[in-house]
Each structure stands twice: as structure tokens, then as C-alpha cells.
Amino acid sequence: MPVMGNPLCAAAFLAFVVISILVTLLISSLQLAGQKGYPPNGTINEEFASSSQRSALNYQLSERRKEIIPLLFSPDNEKRILWESGFSPQHRPSLKTNMDFSLWNEISDSLRRAHMDEMGCDSLVDVQSVEVLGSGYTKLVVKVVLPEDRSVALKLVNDQGNDMEKCLEDFKDARGCYELVSYKLRKEMVLLQRLQHPNVIKLKGHCAEDVGGRVDKGMGKITAILEQGSPLQMIQLLQSPWEDRFRVCLGLVRLLQFLSYSPLGSVALLDFQPRQFVMVLGELKLTDLDDASMDEPPCQTDADCTLQFPLKNFTLPCSAQGLCEGLNEKRNLYNAYRYFFTYLLPHQAPPGLAHLVNHIMNSTGELKADINQTLDAFERVLLLYKSGVHLDNVPPSIIRDYTVMRGMRTSGNVEYRCWPSYSHQGCVLAVHGAREAAFICNAHAQCTSFILTGQKTWTGHLLASFRSSFSHLVPDETSEVYLKKNKSPEPSAV
Ligand SMILES: Nc1ncnc2c1ncn2[C@@H]1O[C@H](COP(=O)(O)OP(=O)(O)OP(=O)(O)O)[C@@H](O)[C@H]1O
Ligand SMILES: *[C@@H]1O[C@H](CO)[C@@H](O)[C@H](O)[C@H]1NC(C)=O
Ligand SMILES: *[C@@H]1O[C@H](CO)[C@@H](O)[C@H](O)[C@H]1NC(C)=O
Ligand SMILES: *[C@@H]1O[C@H](CO)[C@@H](O)[C@H](O)[C@H]1NC(C)=O
Ligand SMILES: *[C@@H]1O[C@H](CO)[C@@H](O)[C@H](O)[C@H]1NC(C)=O
């Protein structure tokens, strides 16, 4: 068997089988009882499918392929793309014959040229553990831990998902259905390559199981290897400090601005929901791209360009070219407003910035601003927040209420809690500087001192820890203690 010719391939293949088994075990343990049971070993195949089912499935397969080809070759700048990626123009006609083999080769080649093949099957040989991160209609995502504690997310076709289930019901062809559903994963991989952005999950590589020696090589099991994040927890995010919530919204707006002017044209996220995103070190990243669309809908009258949402409808002008121009951008922006901004943005915004935040809420909620203007407004809020301009009403003299001890921290603290604190035990807040911290300490009845730890948040704000009392001071190069003069009793050993 050619696949076993190379010991590395053999090892990778073996590792893949082990992962598949682990994943299957995990899934079956997660499976709810009473689900429709298809023979677990995939005995449904072509033999049971009627010829009309077969041709209907073939039709769908060719439709899915047709969706991917234009993503590999953008029509308006085809020459450039072909040239950049080193394709010979003669390559293209062969794709039009709809051969899986050449289509898959083009996908793999373009990933390789974009250096998105840093990891392959051989990277998955030595998997230390596997854990399910999430699943949806189409895909299953697992976390695998590799040697040296590196972890990645693997995206696979969800054999138990609705897409697969529906296809099996319609066509009764396990292999054909796997292929059909896997096109969504393949499309996503192409989009991850074409739409690289700090707020899009990074594709690190892929592993395609070689179906030893078969002509449909490349159509075996397929796994995308991705940067690992954690599923977006809206409830948790609602409880985090404003800075962190603003960061998520800003990341989303930067992403949407990029998508509006992307190399593929204006991209709409048709299935726009928090579960299509994950968090990586505090930054929002899009992970589910299979429902992205580059087409602006055709129209005859303005009425054809209506965006319908549960609480609001918008009607856009139909352009002279007969397209609802700008519809993709507006759809994304309003979804950002209704799923993210309304929950994350206004609440606890710094008082000095509240009017700007309200303006953003209003102009996005009514779609009065386009994405560029919205991004400008967000970047302005960030700049003002970083500069501390919004604290102009806090008098500099406020700091004179405090005795400063540099190179010290406190010990034997009596903590109190505040909200939304960076620490669950005590009161830790992000401040622009000592002046803002003093202002906050004055406003908290329990506060008699605070320390600036030297730790910074993503905006460069300092983390200040507020205390009701402490027992003594200890030397610490990195921190400063501020002790309230009038109110505080002498530090006493308790
Ligand atoms: N890189 C990742 N790191 C961590 N979790 C992830 C990652 N990618 C996806 N997930 C989780 O896996 C879930 C399923 O992934 P994905 O949304 O791509 O599948 P899907 O079948 O298209 O889902 P849906 O039915 O919601 O469209 C996501 O909701 C997300 O929580
Ligand atoms: C699948 O399971 C059936 C019984 O449920 C068995 O007869 C068949 O041999 C199995 N096929 C494979 C490929 O394991
Ligand atoms: C939006 O349009 C639909 C279809 O015309 C209509 O049924 C619905 O009531 C409208 N919703 C709002 C909030 O106007
Ligand atoms: C925007 O502001 C106008 C006028 O101040 C108000 O009537 C409208 O309800 C606001 N819309 C949103 C979505 O906040
Ligand atoms: C929006 O910004 C992009 C650059 O990021 C620019 O190319 C485009 O022309 C701008 N569009 C509008 C309507 O200002």
C-alpha cells in the first residue's frame, strides 16, 4: 500500500486512527440516548442508494465544488492571484471539469503557497490528550495537546451533526455524504487562507487521509489544524471589565471593516452568532466561515433590498447595476449591534466616554454610519481611553490626599470586593494612573489604601489593587503603595 511506504506517513496515519477512535469515544459518550441510529460503521453506501438519489447527490456535490472554485480564483483579479500563487493559467480549465482530485490539489497547493501548512498529519503523531471543544451542524472541534504542552484545535466533519444526518436521510450514501459535508470544511479552509486577519482564527495546516492508492485521492477524511481558542462565553463576558468588553467589540468592528473590503469583495457572515467566534488571549476571533457569502443579492426594485431583523427592517437602494450594494456590510454591522454591542458596550463605560459610546450605539442601531465611520468612532474611543482625556474632571490635587511609598507593597491585607474586579478575592481595577486610582479610592467607603502593581492591561492601563487595611509593608521594586492621609489609621499588626 503506497500510504505505508513511508514510515512517517504510516505513523501519522496510525496517530490519526487513534485520534479518530478517541474522538468517536468522546462523541458517543456525549450522544444523547434515542438519537436516530445509523449503523456506526458506515454500512450505508451506494448499493442502497437508488440511481436518482445518486444523481441528486452528484448534483449537490458539483454545486459545492462550484462554490469553492471562485474563492481560489477571484474573478476581478484572477491574473494577479494566478500570478501571485504561481498557477499557470492552463491549470484552470482542468478545474472546470469538476475533478475532485485537481480541486483538492489546488486547495492544498494554495495553502502551501500561503504558508498555511506549517503543520500536517505528522504533527499529530504524538497526541497527548483529546478533548471536545465544541460542535455544530457541520463540524466537530477538538482540542489536542501535543508534546511541549502545545495545543491546537482540530476541525473535523461532525459525523453526528444535522448536516450529515439530513444527507444520509436524503441520499443513503455514507461516503458521498461525508464528501458533501466535507466541502464546507474545505471551503472554510480556503476562506481562512484568503481572509487572514488578526480577528480570524489562524489555520496552521491540515491533514488529509490518503485513501491508499485510490483515484479519488484527497477525498478521504480531512482535518483542519487551527489555533486553539475557547468558545465565547457571553455570560462570562458580561461580567468582565468594560475594557475587555470594549476589546471584543473593537476586534469585531476591525474584522467587519476588513470583510467589507476583503480580497474577495464584500463578505457577509450569513449565520452571525456569538458561537461562530472564539476567544484567544482576550481577542475575539472568527472561527466559523463556512456560511460566508461574497454575493450582494440581485434586485429590480428597492423593495428587493430589504434586510429583515426581528425588531427592525431596513430597505436599501437597488443600484443601477441591479445589485443591493452594501447589503452585506449593513447586515454584518446590524448583527454586530444586536448580538454584541447592545450587551457589551454601554454598560459601565467610563463616564467621560459615555456620550461617544451612546453615539456609536445609536448610529449602528439605526445603520446611520457605514463600517469605516464605525471603525473610526471605535478607534477614537480607544485613543481617548488610552490617553486618559476622559479623566479631565478629576483634579490632579486629589493625589495630595495620599502618602506615596515607592518600591513597596503591602502584606496582611484586608480586602474588600468591588465590581467588576480583575480579581475575585479583592478589588482590582484598571486605572489610567495614580490620579484615577485616588479618585476611585475616595469613592469607596472601605478604601484606605491602594497599590499600583506595575501590571498592565491590553490598553496600557495599570492594575490598581484597593484595600481596606493591611498589616505591614514589604519591599517590592515593581509596586507603589498609596496610603490615604486623613482617614487611615496607623498600620497596625492585627
Ligand atoms: N479554534 C477553536 N478553538 C476552540 N473552540 C473552537 C474553535 N473553533 C471552533 N470552536 C468551537 O466549536 C464550535 C463548532 O465549530 P463551528 O462553528 O466551526 O462548527 P459548525 O458545525 O459550523 O457550527 P454551527 O452549526 O454553529 O454553524 C464553535 O461554536 C466553537 O465554540
Ligand atoms: C458493519 O457492521 C455490520 C453489522 O452491524 C457487519 O456485518 C459488517 O461487517 C460491519 N462492516 C464493517 C466494515 O466493519
Ligand atoms: C419587517 O418586514 C416584514 C415583512 O414585510 C413584516 O412582516 C414585519 O412586520 C416587519 N417588521 C418590522 C419590525 O417592521
Ligand atoms: C437614536 O437617537 C434617536 C434620537 O435621539 C432616538 O429617537 C433613537 O431611539 C435612538 N436609537 C437607538 C437605536 O438608540
Ligand atoms: C473605507 O476604507 C477603505 C480602506 O480601509 C477604503 O478603501 C474605502 O474606500 C473606504 N470606503 C469609504 C466608503 O469611505
Side-chain angles (χ1 to χ4, degrees):
M1 256 182 15
V3 69
M4 293 306 172
N6 175 339
L8 200 57
C9 276
F13 186 69
L14 192 66
F16 194 79
V17 169
V18 171
I19 293 170
S20 305
I21 293 168
L22 280 170
V23 167
T24 310
L25 282 174
L26 272 165
I27 298 167
S28 43
S29 67
L30 290 173
Q31 278 296 301
L32 301 171
Q35 268 206 342
K36 205 170 276 148
Y38 287 98
N41 60 5
T43 46
I44 297 178
N45 59 38
E46 299 96 300
E47 289 165 42
F48 298 95
S50 69
S51 69
S52 73
Q53 281 170 330
R54 183 69 221 171
S55 67
L57 179 56
N58 277 338
Y59 173 76
Q60 293 225 358
L61 283 167
S62 86
E63 289 298 296
R64 294 275 167 92
R65 287 180 202 112
K66 280 193 220 151
E67 263 182 56
I68 295 186
I69 292 169
L71 304 178
L72 288 163
F73 308 92
S74 319
D76 36 323
N77 54 1
E78 183 169 320
K79 280 219 182 75
R80 191 171 62 79
I81 300 293
L82 287 171
W83 181 79
E84 269 178 4
S85 51
F87 282 124
S88 62
Q90 300 92 285
H91 243 87
R92 196 167 178 203
S94 74
L95 273 174
K96 287 205 168 123
T97 64
N98 284 342
M99 287 174 61
D100 294 337
F101 178 71
S102 53
L103 176 56
W104 177 241
N105 274 358
E106 298 298 354
I107 295 176
S108 304
D109 283 355
S110 80
L111 294 175
R112 186 167 47 74
R113 291 193 183 94
H115 304 289
M116 297 185 103
D117 64 346
E118 144 203 347
M119 298 182 79
C121 298
D122 49 339
S123 314
L124 304 176
V125 170
D126 200 4
V127 167
Q128 324 264 307
S129 70
V130 180
E131 172 193 328
V132 173
L133 284 168
S135 65
Y137 277 48
T138 317
K139 289 158 281 170
L140 170 74
V141 181
V142 297
K143 168 183 166 174
V144 299
V145 178
L146 302 171
E148 292 157 27
D149 257 356
R150 288 185 314 142
S151 58
V152 291
L154 303 183
K155 246 191 212 192
L156 310 114
V157 166
N158 186 357
D159 289 331
Q160 320 284 327
N162 291 42
D163 267 356
M164 195 64 164
E165 196 164 305
K166 171 134 198 328
C167 179
L168 286 173
E169 228 164 71
D170 291 349
F171 303 116
K172 313 209 167 31
D173 174 353
R175 195 155 59 81
C177 281
Y178 179 88
E179 195 177 326
L180 187 69
V181 178
S182 78
Y183 269 114
K184 286 202 180 173
L185 185 55
R186 290 166 207 270
K187 177 183 169 190
E188 184 165 270
M189 288 167 60
V190 174
L191 287 173
L192 288 171
Q193 185 235 307
R194 298 302 307 276
L195 301 174
Q196 292 176 57
H197 185 268
N199 296 103
V200 174
I201 205 85
K202 187 169 164 30
L203 180 63
K204 290 167 165 279
H206 68 277
C207 173
E209 182 187 319
D210 205 345
V211 186
R214 276 171 39 178
V215 275
D216 59 351
K217 174 174 176 255
M219 279 295 139
K221 300 264 173 184
I222 167 92
T223 303
I225 307 172
L226 302 164
E227 166 184 35
Q228 189 230 318
S230 46
L232 194 66
Q233 304 270 1
M234 217 51 177
I235 305 282
Q236 197 182 315
L237 209 49
L238 287 173
Q239 297 165 14
S240 22
W242 182 81
E243 253 201 49
D244 292 355
R245 286 180 277 120
F246 175 74
R247 186 182 190 185
V248 167
C249 296
L250 174 65
L252 182 58
V253 172
R254 285 176 175 164
L255 171 68
L256 296 187
Q257 202 273 345
F258 167 75
L259 290 180
S260 275
Y261 297 93
S262 87
L264 297 170
S266 181
V267 177
L269 303 177
L270 297 182
D271 185 14
F272 193 117
Q273 300 209 37
R275 69 162 191 274
Q276 320 294 7
F277 298 87
V278 294
M279 299 293 291
V280 179
L281 302 172
E283 198 67 61
L284 183 76
K285 302 210 180 201
L286 177 62
T287 175
D288 190 348
L289 267 166
D290 64 13
D291 278 319
S293 162
M294 328 310 135
D295 304 318
E296 306 263 30
C299 55
Q300 259 142 26
T301 67
D302 292 357
D304 297 333
C305 302
T306 301
L307 270 177
Q308 288 187 12
F309 296 102
L311 297 175
K312 228 172 162 95
N313 294 338
F314 299 94
T315 301
L316 275 68
C318 178
S319 77
Q321 289 76 33
L323 290 176
C324 300
E325 267 169 32
L327 190 98
N328 287 349
E329 173 175 319
K330 287 197 156 31
R331 174 201 286 268
N332 287 344
L333 194 52
Y334 191 76
N335 276 324
Y337 166 81
R338 69 181 183 126
Y339 283 113
F340 287 86
F341 303 167
T342 50
Y343 300 110
L344 301 179
L345 209 49
H347 181 56
Q348 296 243 320
L353 297 174
H355 65 290
L356 289 175
V357 169
N358 287 339
H359 183 75
I360 289 177
M361 292 304 289
N362 196 291
S363 57
T364 51
E366 310 259 332
L367 288 182
K368 285 188 285 200
D370 66 21
I371 189 66
N372 284 6
Q373 293 164 326
T374 306
L375 180 59
D376 286 348
F378 269 87
E379 298 287 3
R380 197 162 74 245
V381 169
L382 176 62
L383 219 66
L384 290 174
Y385 180 75
K386 281 185 170 177
S387 72
V389 162
H390 60 290
L391 297 170
D392 276 353
N393 61 332
V394 179
S397 60
I398 196 169
I399 205 74
R400 284 191 230 124
D401 301 349
Y402 291 80
T403 307
V404 189
M405 288 158 285
R406 294 182 210 283
M408 292 286 181
R409 67 182 160 82
T410 58
S411 179
N413 300 314
V414 179
E415 307 275 3
Y416 68 94
R417 292 169 75 171
C418 66
W419 194 84
S421 176
Y422 280 82
S423 143
H424 291 302
Q425 276 80 42
C427 181
V428 179
L429 300 173
V431 296
H432 182 254
R435 182 160 59 106
E436 188 185 5
F439 183 74
I440 293 171
C441 187
N442 282 1
H444 290 173
Q446 306 99 310
C447 185
T448 62
S449 67
F450 61 88
I451 70 169
L452 296 180
T453 58
Q455 266 181 292
K456 288 183 179 170
T457 67
W458 73 278
T459 60
H461 270 48
L462 303 172
L463 286 184
S465 183
F466 300 86
R467 274 74 196 263
S468 38
S469 70
F470 60 88
S471 63
H472 54 277
L473 292 164
V474 288
D476 183 340
E477 283 282 302
T478 62
S479 104
E480 297 173 357
V481 177
Y482 291 76
L483 188 61
K484 209 186 260 175
K485 282 176 185 163
N486 48 1
K487 217 165 127 187
S488 63
E490 288 297 300
S492 57
V494 181

